[in-house]
Amino acid sequence: LAKTTQPISMDSYEGQEVNITCSHNNIATNDYITWYQQFPSQGPRFIIQGYKTKVTNEVASLFIPADRKSSTLSLPRVSLSDTAVYYCLVGDYKLSFGAGTTVTVRA
Amino acid sequence: EAGVVQSPRYKIIEKKQPVAFWCNPISGHNTLYWYLQNLGQGPELLIRYENEEAVDDSQLPKDRFSAERLKGVDSTLKIQPAELGDSAVYLCASSLDQGQYNEQFFGPGTRLTVL
């Protein structure tokens, strides 16, 4: 199971782009990279998943370099409601959430 | 579509008492997960079900924790007896099938406080 490393916290302001980088040096060939978001008093919520290059949906973009040893979640033009904990997960069903990155968006 | 339902949302008990949590997954989801989340940490997997079969319970403290998923739908997680260190949020999640490609849908969790 690939171990991940991500920053503990990040601060931003409304309207800015937030980029969270996750390191996963021992990612396996068949591992996908998945990001979840968690608000206080709620369960995590799926944001995006990718294998390589770039994936974009209505919420975020996920950038994965060719060596796949890291990935970057990009949240465009954040608002106060994007304040949450963001988890990077790699691999199979034994999802290891880790401590995540607490993103705080200020007005 | 209804999401994952958990009850109760909050539970306060004294140590050594038993407690049970209930989860109703999204209809049609074969895989069900129970997680434990301590304050300031991410969820940790306790047990995973494929239909009614517990296919991974390696992280479940079997001396005091037990779980069941009757008829492959609803699931119950039990702690007996509860200890102070069991205070945490217990999350239930479900997915269509097993595997990393399947998005997990989480319930709101049950916050347990053991006094």
Side-chain angles (χ1 to χ4, degrees), chain B residues 24-57:
Chain B
N24 180 238
I26 292 174
S27 177
H29 281 195
N30 297 319
T31 308
L32 184 145
Y33 313 75
W34 281 103
Y35 289 88
L36 176 154
Q37 185 170 26
N38 289 305
L39 188 64
Q41 298 181 26
E44 301 170 28
L45 182 67
L46 289 173
I47 189 168
R48 177 175 72 93
Y49 281 92
E50 289 301 322
N51 298 305
E52 67 275 8
E53 181 181 1
V55 294
D56 184 358
D57 61 357

Side-chain angles (χ1 to χ4, degrees), chain A residues 19-41:
Chain A
N19 296 306
I20 309 170
T21 296
C22 178
S23 297
H24 28 80
N25 291 319
N26 57 341
I27 187 170
T29 302
N30 61 344
D31 283 344
Y32 274 66
I33 300 155
T34 309
W35 285 81
Y36 280 79
Q37 174 192 56
Q38 186 175 26
F39 297 114
S41 300

Side-chain angles (χ1 to χ4, degrees), chain A residues 10-15 18 78-80 82-83 103-107:
Chain A
M10 297 181 70
D11 288 344
S12 184
Y13 290 91
E14 284 189 293
V18 172
V78 294
S79 64
L80 296 176
D82 292 315
T83 293
V103 173
T104 303
V105 180
R106 307 181 191 280

